[in-house]
Amino acid sequence: MRKIQRIALLAGMGTILFLLSAFQNGIVKKEHSTFSLTVKVNTLRNNKGDVLFALYNKEGTIPDEKFKNYFRITTGKISGDSSEVVFRNLPAGRYAVSVLHDEDCNGKIKKGFFLPKEGVGFSNYKTINLSHRPSFKKASFELDKNTDVSVKIIYL
């Protein structure tokens, strides 16, 4: 009887040591944390329409003129000359933001000859033009905590 108890005790201790080792070595994954991203825009030229906020998490998704390659998208209301949205429960990773001041509320960028007639903006961009086009690589940032991002809206 004592021999069986010792074997059971050793087996239990072995199991505990294995589990501790597995957690330490990353074999058993820890629960992933999620974060919130608050995106703000200021100095909109008017309070017409809405502001479309698109969030991207993959290389090659920006520019996205027809808003088809986004990870998440939402619309913000305009208050004064500003708008703000919060993307919640985001896993850690690289993200980029694209914003459209959608003055005619059609969900698309209204364009002139080549350039947008409505305001557009991207995270990490202060200006855009034909030779300085947005890309995911340049617009992206690391999200590993709750973060606030301010995007400059550019009217061409």
Side-chain angles (χ1 to χ4, degrees):
M1 189 73 146
R2 280 191 128 197
K3 190 175 185 179
I4 293 174
Q5 287 175 336
R6 272 192 245 153
I7 292 172
L9 179 62
L10 288 173
M13 288 173 57
T15 302
I16 290 170
L17 288 174
F18 171 77
L19 289 174
L20 287 173
S21 174
F23 276 109
Q24 186 176 5
N25 294 323
I27 296 170
V28 177
K29 303 255 185 223
K30 297 177 186 173
E31 186 174 319
H32 294 284
S33 297
T34 60
F35 305 100
S36 293
L37 173 65
T38 302
V39 184
K40 304 172 186 179
V41 295
N42 296 306
T43 64
L44 297 169
R45 73 174 162 199
N46 59 50
N47 60 2
K48 294 178 184 173
D50 293 317
V51 180
L52 193 63
F53 294 85
L55 183 64
Y56 298 86
N57 66 348
K58 291 181 184 165
E59 188 70 45
T61 52
I62 290 178
D64 184 21
E65 293 181 18
K66 297 186 182 190
F67 294 96
K68 293 185 177 184
N69 299 318
Y70 58 83
F71 172 65
R72 291 193 190 165
I73 194 164
T74 191
T75 302
K77 297 295 178 195
I78 299 171
S79 177
D81 68 348
S82 303
S83 187
E84 178 179 313
V85 297
V86 179
F87 292 97
R88 299 185 195 290
N89 300 317
L90 297 172
R94 290 204 70 74
Y95 293 92
V97 178
S98 171
V99 180
L100 168 65
H101 180 190
D102 191 12
E103 294 174 272
D104 58 6
C105 295
N106 70 351
K108 297 187 262 182
I109 299 173
K110 184 176 182 178
K111 292 177 99 176
F113 185 58
F114 281 109
L115 303 173
K117 288 187 168 187
E118 297 174 304
V120 295
F122 301 89
S123 46
N124 300 331
Y125 276 79
K126 300 295 180 209
T127 62
I128 56 171
N129 56 47
L130 293 176
S131 64
H132 188 239
R133 292 178 45 110
S135 70
F136 181 84
K137 183 176 182 177
K138 291 178 185 175
S140 65
F141 54 90
E142 193 68 32
L143 183 75
D144 57 7
K145 62 183 177 187
N146 294 333
T147 303
D148 291 356
V149 170
S150 183
V151 175
K152 179 178 175 31
I153 299 296
I154 302 159
Y155 297 94
L156 302 171

